[in-house]
Amino acid sequence: MIDPTTLATLVVADYLGDTADDGKYEGHGSAVFKSGHSYEGEFLRGFMHGEGTFSWRDGVRFQGDFVRNKISGRGEYVWKNGCTYVGEVEDGLRHGMGEFSCAFNGAVYTGEWKEGKQHGRGIILYANGSKYEGQWTEGLKEGHGVMYYPNGNVYDGEWLKNVKHGVGRMDWNDCGETYQGEWMHGLPHGKGTYIWTRQMSKLDQFPLENRYEGDWENGKRSGKGTFYYASGAAYSGEWKDNLKHGAGHFISENGRSYIGFFKNDRPVDEWPKHQNGRNTFLLFALAQLVEEAGFDEDVKLLNSAVLRHISLLRDLYTGYCKVGRSNSGGANSIARVQLWKFLIDCKLAKKGVHLGKPDRKRIIWRNKVRSRNRPGASNQNPHDETAQFIFFEFVEAVLRISHIVYRNQQNLSLHERGLVACFSAFLTHDVIPNRQPEPQDFESSGDPSAMVGFLVKLFDDFEGLFSKKVFDVYTLLARSRKTSLPESKNDKTITIRELLFHLSVRSRFVDLLANINGRISA
């Protein structure tokens, strides 16, 4: 075995520094190797050991920790092209936590390394403003990660070998589009939901959202799925290469229905002639609220009344979309809790209408008629405060609320009758006089009202932290009741008495625990 002294004479061309009594390099010194490399730093028993700087003949330099001739510990690599690495190393390789800066493309990676490659969790910032934060495997994005693009687009989901693969959500904020579902090789593939939205304006008369829920193949709608159009139309059936192709069911915005086969986005057979049945309500599935006599005439009058007040309804909708949301610029659907705020502002409690009554009457819940007539429609949980409603559903809710408040009152109008008269009376006596000013932008205003402040806390803090726990308590106590309305026999509810009793018991239990803890501490 060659000892360090003999080995040094074979590889070291020149040495200047401290030595031990036996001639071995010991202490501080500098050595020039016959290969052209050099080292300056600490030596121990003939080995490079401690802090030092090693320079390769091609211009690469490392300054940091050495252990018996091996680069291990912490240090800084500097390459000839200007790239740098600062962090942990092992056996000469980047290993552990460290930061790498690339000089020629401006990228900076900070995170975990393994055997010279990004591995584990890390963040990379690109010169163009892009940012990736998430998991890495052997130098590639793999696992869960979030990609922020310079134009404001965001992808949050799974990756495989640097491409989107698995389950994830992509938000194209620059054009108002969103896809959430399965991916393969960077494209939507499998089950997923795609939403096309745009900023609402006063000229818009329909909900500004197209939505597709169903199968995807290589980035295109293929398989089975349902498309909800902003106009109110809907199609449920088979797709191929983004086109309706195969068996399907289409309902137009005016209620006309076609069930049959499609080819290249067109129906194979002729459309049926205009249907005059009760399921062809021009806008709303409210036939059960219209009087038997004069049905067709009432339908026309109702739609005319809605169109007359469409500007007011749109302003109400856009205003309440913003309530409680700190970033309201892109909000284009109203949540149930915001709809409750609208009912509170209308002061319905003074007329004996509480928030539970609209829920039980399925005003804020998609009713059975709509579920039968709209492809893919399904009943929502009437107690989910975060459920979203488009403009179409908001107007339908207003009509139903009008019917509950004024259905038993006579002589509401000299010129209107039935649901139309209820609708006009509700707007005149309850909505317009109690209309709230449009909510402020909370990012620029520091003085929100008490209710708005409460809703901000509800959306920002309460929902994420406590909504599940509160719902667990509700499901524990709620039960079906014989006294429920016919439409709500399957709903489980909790009475105010039961809730107050439960809170009282919980409060005494918490106080007892506090007293016990206090005695133990004492």
Side-chain angles (χ1 to χ4, degrees):
M1 180 178 179
I2 301 178
D3 62 79
T5 304
T6 305
L7 180 62
T9 60
L10 296 177
V11 298
V12 176
D14 185 30
Y15 174 79
L16 179 63
D18 302 331
T19 58
D21 295 337
D22 55 4
K24 295 179 180 179
Y25 307 149
E26 186 89 22
H28 187 83
S30 61
V32 178
F33 300 93
K34 293 180 180 180
S35 60
H37 310 320
S38 64
Y39 171 81
E40 181 178 357
E42 300 295 325
F43 285 87
L44 179 66
R45 305 301 297 164
F47 294 100
M48 295 178 291
H49 192 92
E51 293 186 6
T53 301
F54 192 97
S55 301
W56 284 263
R57 61 184 179 186
D58 60 0
V60 180
R61 184 178 75 254
F62 174 81
Q63 181 177 356
D65 299 331
F66 290 79
V67 178
R68 296 179 65 85
N69 285 347
K70 292 182 179 181
I71 297 175
S72 291
R74 286 191 59 84
E76 178 184 14
Y77 271 106
V78 179
W79 283 268
K80 188 177 180 179
N81 59 10
C83 297
T84 62
Y85 171 81
V86 179
E88 297 175 317
V89 291
E90 185 176 305
D91 292 337
L93 300 175
R94 290 163 288 186
H95 192 93
M97 292 295 298
E99 179 178 291
F100 176 81
S101 300
C102 187
F104 54 85
N105 64 13
V108 178
Y109 171 83
T110 304
E112 296 177 296
W113 297 77
K114 182 179 180 181
E115 298 178 354
K117 298 179 180 179
Q118 296 107 314
H119 193 93
R121 185 165 185 83
I123 302 174
I124 186 168
L125 302 175
Y126 298 93
N128 64 356
S130 298
K131 173 185 174 182
Y132 172 81
E133 181 175 357
Q135 297 295 323
W136 297 75
T137 300
E138 296 186 352
L140 302 175
K141 302 180 186 74
E142 193 161 305
H144 181 267
V146 182
M147 185 75 178
Y148 303 90
Y149 296 90
N151 56 3
N153 298 340
V154 179
Y155 172 78
D156 185 348
E158 298 175 333
W159 297 74
L160 179 66
K161 296 181 179 179
N162 276 348
V163 297
K164 306 174 189 70
H165 193 98
V167 178
R169 175 190 174 103
M170 179 74 190
D171 291 302
W172 290 273
N173 295 316
D174 58 338
C175 59
E177 298 180 8
T178 299
Y179 172 78
Q180 183 168 0
E182 297 175 313
W183 297 73
M184 180 180 288
H185 306 311
L187 296 172
H189 189 94
K191 297 287 186 181
T193 300
Y194 202 108
I195 300 174
W196 296 261
T197 59
R198 63 185 178 88
Q199 183 64 42
M200 298 176 70
S201 68
K202 292 183 178 296
L203 299 178
D204 294 314
Q205 188 166 328
F206 295 103
L208 302 176
E209 177 180 290
N210 290 312
R211 175 192 295 264
Y212 172 79
E213 301 174 357
D215 298 331
W216 294 80
E217 185 175 337
N218 296 325
K220 296 182 179 180
R221 298 185 294 276
S222 292
K224 293 185 178 181
T226 301
F227 199 110
Y228 300 98
Y229 296 86
S231 63
Y235 169 80
S236 180
E238 297 177 335
W239 296 78
K240 182 179 180 181
D241 295 335
N242 281 340
L243 303 177
K244 295 183 282 290
H245 194 90
H249 181 192
F250 184 89
I251 296 181
S252 67
E253 57 270 21
N254 62 8
R256 297 182 64 193
S257 176
Y258 173 86
I259 301 177
F261 290 91
F262 291 77
K263 184 176 181 181
N264 296 327
D265 221 34
R266 301 283 183 179
V268 174
D269 302 319
E270 292 186 3
W271 274 78
K273 295 182 179 180
H274 183 70
Q275 305 146 343
N276 294 319
R278 299 206 167 185
N279 292 333
T280 60
F281 229 109
L282 292 182
L283 287 177
F284 311 104
L286 301 169
Q288 70 274 27
L289 304 186
V290 179
E291 298 177 2
E292 291 287 339
F295 176 86
D296 293 333
E297 183 64 25
D298 284 351
V299 168
K300 296 178 181 178
L301 293 175
L302 177 60
N303 283 276
S304 296
V306 170
L307 292 177
R308 285 199 308 272
H309 298 286
I310 197 69
S311 179
L312 169 64
L313 294 169
R314 191 185 305 113
D315 289 344
L316 289 170
Y317 182 77
T318 54
Y320 282 96
C321 278
K322 301 175 184 179
V323 171
R325 285 174 172 163
S326 56
N327 182 14
S328 58
N332 53 8
S333 61
I334 192 170
R336 178 174 282 111
V337 69
Q338 295 165 323
L339 195 50
W340 285 338
K341 175 64 165 63
F342 167 70
L343 299 180
I344 292 172
D345 290 342
C346 291
K347 300 180 180 179
L348 296 186
K350 291 184 177 180
K351 297 190 174 183
V353 179
H354 53 80
L355 297 184
K357 192 169 185 178
D359 271 344
R360 287 191 294 165
K361 283 290 187 180
R362 302 178 188 269
I363 290 174
I364 310 175
W365 189 11
R366 287 181 180 144
N367 56 80
K368 295 178 181 179
V369 175
R370 290 195 59 202
S371 297
R372 289 196 298 265
N373 293 338
R374 292 191 60 186
S378 59
N379 289 338
Q380 297 178 346
N381 177 1
H383 311 294
D384 179 10
E385 74 280 357
T386 63
Q388 302 294 310
F389 302 89
I390 59 178
F391 177 68
F392 181 95
E393 296 164 324
F394 171 74
V395 176
E396 185 175 305
V398 172
L399 290 170
R400 288 180 171 273
I401 294 167
S402 305
H403 184 259
I404 283 182
V405 176
Y406 289 100
R407 62 183 174 179
N408 295 324
Q409 296 191 25
Q410 304 296 325
N411 303 321
L412 290 174
S413 172
L414 294 176
H415 308 289
E416 297 174 328
R417 67 179 186 184
L419 183 56
V420 179
C422 294
F423 175 62
S424 298
F426 180 65
L427 294 181
T428 302
H429 301 301
D430 303 288
V431 175
I432 296 176
N434 299 311
R435 186 179 177 185
Q436 300 294 315
E438 186 166 327
Q440 298 175 332
D441 181 357
F442 303 129
E443 294 181 352
S444 59
S445 172
D447 186 26
S449 66
M451 175 58 73
V452 169
F454 164 73
L455 289 173
V456 169
K457 293 293 293 181
L458 178 64
F459 274 89
D460 293 345
D461 299 332
F462 174 82
E463 180 182 351
L465 294 176
F466 304 111
S467 60
K468 185 178 184 304
K469 295 179 180 178
V470 172
F471 188 74
D472 289 342
V473 173
Y474 166 79
T475 54
L476 178 65
L477 299 177
R479 57 189 175 87
S480 300
R481 302 176 188 278
K482 296 180 179 179
T483 57
S484 297
L485 295 173
E487 300 91 338
S488 306
K489 285 185 177 179
N490 294 326
D491 290 349
K492 293 185 176 180
T493 58
I494 178 174
T495 65
I496 296 296
R497 182 190 300 272
E498 291 169 338
L499 177 61
L500 292 176
F501 176 76
H502 179 73
L503 293 176
S504 175
V505 172
R506 284 294 182 95
S507 178
R508 291 198 298 270
F509 181 67
V510 171
D511 291 341
L512 177 61
L513 288 179
N515 292 333
I516 294 174
N517 289 334
R519 293 173 184 176
I520 294 175
S521 300

